[in-house]
Amino acid sequence: MKEYNFFLGCIAPNRYPGIEASAVKTSRKFDIELRDFKGASCCPAPGAFGSMDVNAWLALGARNICLSEKEGKDIALICNGCYKSLFEANHRLKSDPVMREKVNSILANIDYEFQGSVEVRHLIDILYNDVGPEKVKESVEVPLTGVNVAIHYGCHLLKPKFDRTFGSSERPRFFDELVEALGATSIDYKEKMMCCGAGGGVRSYKMDLALDIANEKLYNMTQANADVIVDVCPFCHLQLDRGQVEIKEKFGDVYDLPVLHYNQLLGLAQGMNPDELGLDAHEISVEPLLAKIL
Amino acid sequence: MASEGMRDPKHYQLGKTQFDPDLIKEVIALGGKNAQMCYQCGTCTASCPMGQRSGLRVRTVMRKANLGMRDVLDDPDLWLCTTCYTCSDRCPRRIMATDAIIALRNIATREKKVPMSMIKIMGAISKTGHGVPNNEANMKNRVKVGLPENPPTTHTYPEYIKDINKILEVTGLLKIREEMEAESQ
Ligand code: SF4
Ligand code: SF4
């Protein structure tokens, strides 16, 4: 069994607990234990914090990493925003001695020191590269045959590509393979790799513009006959789920397109009950999708 | 708006005082790698999802940064970048234009030109450790899926929050927040 410190971030535990719960439950099927990560905080939000002070952002991210270093555990996480903060802080501080010294001089004020002794992984990376699509497929009890999935990779999982390990940020395939391993169809749609619009602090700064980007994505997904949107980021998830309610109010456009995090879709395919995956807490009803599967 | 500054004849009369050669150095020091190599091809602007629906023009931002036109720091559109990094991934000069924008935002923050929406997020982290804290309705949803009411983060262990505030203090962010909050009242 491989154990990770499970870095939760904010939006999964504090808005969509079903994402947190489904990650823990589905990972156990692959002998991966996502354990409590005591004292972790916000990653902190890369758009807001990085924009105010890059060094403070790195230091606050490094504080989280240091906590895990003390326990000797690698970190697993389920949010692209957290991934940007923690993967990049870890990567930059490991590879840039000047930056490391600067951040460690900030951390010295709280008696912490970044060592560079653990890894930061997105769970989707662990599922693809360590578990593999074949084993994921073997865990399926309810194949999602006939379900059209509009995948939303999200930006910070893949970009900037020179600081990541996934290769192409224009036409990646790994997430599609993991969705197809569940028996579903990953559909192509216009501007598939476009941002959800929420990042960079824009959702809280100018919500109308943030939602305008989401609206274009939702339209394109609908045009391609999507049954469900599947993401790997609770912030994109919130923007695309709650965003549909806001878009309806502000612009009058209605999509009613269910939104699931990959771990929730995996949970359904592994035969878990929709309630234990927290699907009833979503803004947009997941019922039409369930009717198609169950 | 920044573009109006360009048309203002005074701008040119003021000469050197308006063109600050240190600006681009600051941008690079704060992470805007290779920003001085921009050759104004416009691939960034053409790739930008936000530019298609707003006044954000990445190429213009890059030009102003390179010319040292500090009025770019007053441009409200500077805060419209979603940090999607599409421009950076497509730049033929491998410039991290997104990181240049973030660096300019850092400089603007020091000059207290940061939107209050950002300051609010800092306030939430300072108080709870979370930018998006837990709430009553969510606690019920957590219990329903078999989780404790609060996650094992600073929500359960608030004794860790003082370290977060120490970092905010030594980096100067706490002071900026206090001053901006006082001024906005
Ligand atoms: S794509 Fe790169 S080189 Fe071209 S204008 Fe933008 S930043 Fe400059
Ligand atoms: S990172 Fe910002 S400036 Fe660059 S393409 Fe995305 S929204 Fe536009």
Side-chain angles (χ1 to χ4, degrees):
Chain A
M1 188 181 60
K2 169 83 181 167
E3 273 193 349
Y4 290 92
N5 264 350
F6 187 21
F7 184 83
L8 300 172
C10 296
I11 299 179
N14 298 336
R15 291 296 179 274
Y16 289 97
I19 297 177
E20 176 183 339
S22 64
V24 174
K25 288 172 193 168
T26 54
S27 295
R28 287 201 178 122
K29 304 257 176 191
F30 307 118
D31 251 355
I32 294 168
E33 188 62 29
L34 301 177
R35 64 198 286 273
D36 280 4
F37 184 175
K38 188 180 155 184
S41 65
C42 179
C43 57
F49 250 88
S51 293
M52 286 187 281
D53 191 314
V54 169
N55 294 321
W57 169 64
L58 287 170
L60 288 165
R63 187 200 73 93
N64 284 315
I65 297 169
C66 289
L67 283 174
S68 208
E69 286 182 343
K70 286 179 189 173
E71 299 182 312
K73 295 279 176 223
D74 289 339
I75 295 170
L77 46 78
I78 48 170
C79 167
N80 293 354
C82 299
Y83 191 63
K84 173 160 178 67
S85 289
L86 297 195
F87 178 84
E88 276 185 28
N90 204 36
H91 174 71
R92 286 198 210 175
L93 298 184
K94 277 185 184 182
S95 59
D96 181 345
V98 179
M99 180 81 83
R100 181 167 170 161
E101 203 174 307
K102 195 188 277 174
V103 169
N104 269 336
S105 74
I106 300 173
L107 293 174
N109 291 286
I110 57 168
D111 294 323
Y112 279 46
E113 192 188 356
F114 176 86
Q115 308 279 348
S117 60
V118 300
E119 298 292 328
V120 176
R121 311 269 312 266
H122 196 302
L123 190 54
I124 199 79
D125 161 27
I126 296 170
L127 286 174
Y128 186 76
N129 288 308
D130 296 2
V131 176
E134 273 308 312
K135 266 209 183 144
V136 169
K137 194 174 177 178
E138 283 165 23
S139 78
V140 171
E141 284 176 23
V142 185
L144 308 179
T145 317
V147 175
N148 283 343
V149 173
I151 291 178
H152 175 73
Y153 276 83
C155 299
H156 297 143
L157 180 66
L158 307 167
K159 294 179 272 187
K161 66 179 176 223
F162 299 114
D163 278 344
R164 297 287 187 276
T165 54
F166 299 108
S168 169
S169 62
E170 303 280 356
R171 285 198 163 271
R173 276 293 303 166
F174 62 94
F175 191 177
D176 303 68
E177 284 177 40
L178 285 171
V179 163
E180 280 162 2
L182 311 181
T185 307
S186 168
I187 56 165
D188 208 1
Y189 62 92
K190 194 178 164 194
E191 294 280 9
K192 180 175 169 184
M193 298 314 295
M194 192 172 76
C195 176
C196 71
V202 178
R203 194 181 144 85
S204 53
Y205 175 59
K206 285 282 182 292
M207 190 186 257
D208 283 11
L209 283 169
L211 290 175
D212 195 55
I213 293 184
N215 201 5
E216 185 181 333
K217 277 219 91 151
L218 288 160
Y219 177 80
N220 290 341
M221 289 163 164
T222 309
Q223 288 297 302
N225 294 320
D227 295 314
V228 58
I229 302 169
V230 176
D231 58 74
V232 279
C233 173
F235 196 32
C236 301
H237 187 99
L238 182 141
Q239 168 82 345
L240 294 169
D241 180 47
R242 185 182 297 178
Q244 287 186 55
V245 178
E246 294 154 349
I247 284 168
K248 187 175 168 184
E249 277 169 15
K250 286 175 186 280
F251 316 131
D253 297 316
V254 180
Y255 300 103
D256 288 333
L257 192 53
V259 186
L260 266 66
H261 190 283
Y262 181 73
N263 290 105
Q264 294 175 310
L265 190 76
L266 178 58
L268 284 178
Q270 288 178 343
M272 290 173 198
N273 179 322
D275 288 347
E276 64 174 321
L277 301 169
L279 299 185
D280 53 338
H282 291 193
E283 298 282 346
I284 301 298
S285 169
V286 179
E287 288 304 326
L289 172 73
L290 299 179
K292 209 163 175 173
I293 301 171
L294 306 174
Chain B
M1 293 284 286
S3 53
E4 284 158 18
M6 293 268 284
R7 278 181 241 111
D8 181 353
K10 268 193 301 200
H11 184 91
Y12 299 99
Q13 284 163 20
L14 283 170
K16 274 198 165 165
T17 53
Q18 290 283 318
F19 295 86
D20 175 1
D22 290 333
L23 184 62
I24 190 68
K25 291 178 197 157
E26 275 180 79
V27 167
I28 293 165
L30 285 165
K33 215 158 99 189
N34 299 342
Q36 83 287 2
M37 307 220 309
C38 172
Y39 59 11
Q40 289 290 292
C41 68
T43 305
C44 48
T45 293
S47 299
C48 177
M50 191 47 97
Q52 292 162 22
R53 60 201 88 226
S54 75
L56 175 65
R57 298 288 178 270
V58 199
R59 178 176 61 170
T60 309
V61 171
M62 294 305 292
R63 191 70 186 136
K64 288 192 160 199
N66 271 295
L67 286 174
M69 295 167 72
R70 293 191 81 92
D71 65 346
V72 68
L73 302 172
D74 298 298
D75 186 348
D77 294 346
L78 188 63
W79 301 90
L80 288 180
C81 165
T82 67
T83 69
C84 76
Y85 281 88
T86 309
C87 54
S88 302
D89 266 18
R90 292 183 182 170
C91 173
R93 301 288 274 169
R94 290 205 179 181
I95 295 166
M96 290 289 170
T98 316
D99 290 336
I101 291 173
I102 288 174
L104 289 166
R105 287 178 175 185
N106 277 209
I107 300 165
T109 300
R110 284 189 214 147
E111 298 181 7
K112 292 194 270 177
K113 290 168 179 168
V114 52
M116 282 311 283
S117 56
M118 299 271 180
I119 296 289
K120 263 195 201 143
I121 297 170
M122 193 200 317
I125 292 178
S126 175
K127 221 171 125 193
T128 68
H130 283 287
V132 181
N134 204 355
N135 60 37
E136 293 280 330
N138 186 68
M139 285 181 189
K140 291 201 185 94
N141 287 333
R142 287 185 61 82
V143 172
K144 270 212 260 175
V145 292
L147 297 169
E149 277 192 352
N150 274 305
T153 59
T154 47
H155 273 328
T156 305
Y157 304 100
E159 60 270 28
Y160 286 89
I161 297 172
K162 67 173 188 325
D163 288 347
I164 292 168
N165 282 310
K166 189 76 196 172
I167 292 172
L168 294 177
E169 185 198 316
V170 298
T171 51
L173 280 179
L174 205 59
K175 187 162 170 265
I176 291 170
R177 181 176 129 232
E178 281 167 3
E179 288 176 6
M180 285 187 69
E181 277 174 355
E183 282 162 25
S184 75
Q185 260 154 34

